[in-house]
Amino acid sequence: MAARSISWQTVEGRDIKILITIIILLIIHFQYRLWWGDGSIREIDAYQQRLDDLKKQVQDKKERNEALYAEVLDLRKGQEAIEERARDELGMIKEGETFFQVIEESPGAR
C-alpha cells in the first residue's frame, strides 16, 4: 500500500469550516483576555493610575519630612526659633517687653 499524503487540495470544505471556526474562537478568546481578563489593558491602566497616586503621595510626604527636618534643625540651633514659636503660637512675651493689643472697631458698631 502506498502512503497517502494529505494536501490542501484533498481537504474538504467541511474541514476548512472547522479550521476557520477554531481560529475565530481563538481570536475571540485572546481578545477577551486582552480587554477584560487578568492583566488586561484596563487593569494595567488602573494599576498605573494607582502607582501615579502613590508616587505623588510619597513626594508630598518627602517634602513634608524635609520641612519638618529643617524645623528640627532650627529648634536645635538656638533660642530664637523657640522664642518665635512661643510668641506666635502661645502669645508669650519676653521680660521687659510691653504688650499692646489693638482692637479694631467693626464697621457696624457705630
Side-chain angles (χ1 to χ4, degrees):
M1 285 196 193
R4 195 172 136 195
S5 65
I6 298 177
S7 69
W8 286 105
Q9 296 167 349
T10 61
V11 175
E12 296 178 17
R14 180 175 158 258
D15 293 335
I16 293 208
K17 287 179 184 178
I18 291 173
L19 184 63
I20 290 174
T21 302
I22 291 172
I23 291 172
I24 290 173
L25 290 174
L26 283 173
I27 290 172
I28 290 170
H29 171 73
F30 290 133
Q31 284 293 313
Y32 174 81
R33 288 193 62 195
L34 176 68
W35 294 103
W36 294 285
D38 276 346
S40 67
I41 291 175
R42 289 182 186 183
E43 200 171 78
I44 290 171
D45 287 342
Y47 287 147
Q48 186 64 46
Q49 180 64 39
R50 177 76 175 134
L51 181 63
D52 293 341
D53 292 343
L54 290 173
K55 282 181 180 179
K56 182 171 183 346
Q57 288 177 9
V58 166
Q59 183 62 33
D60 292 344
K61 302 278 185 196
K62 280 183 180 178
E63 290 171 4
R64 181 175 176 264
N65 285 347
E66 288 172 3
L68 289 172
Y69 183 70
E71 189 173 343
V72 166
L73 289 178
D74 284 345
L75 290 173
R76 285 183 182 166
K77 194 171 17 171
Q79 287 293 106
E80 293 174 14
I82 294 171
E83 287 180 11
E84 181 182 339
R85 286 187 71 135
R87 290 173 193 273
D88 290 342
E89 295 175 12
L90 303 174
M92 298 180 83
I93 58 172
K94 270 203 241 179
E95 210 174 296
E97 289 183 332
T98 305
F99 175 72
F100 294 97
Q101 183 176 9
V102 178
I103 301 174
E104 294 183 22
E105 194 174 301
S106 61
R110 290 186 184 194

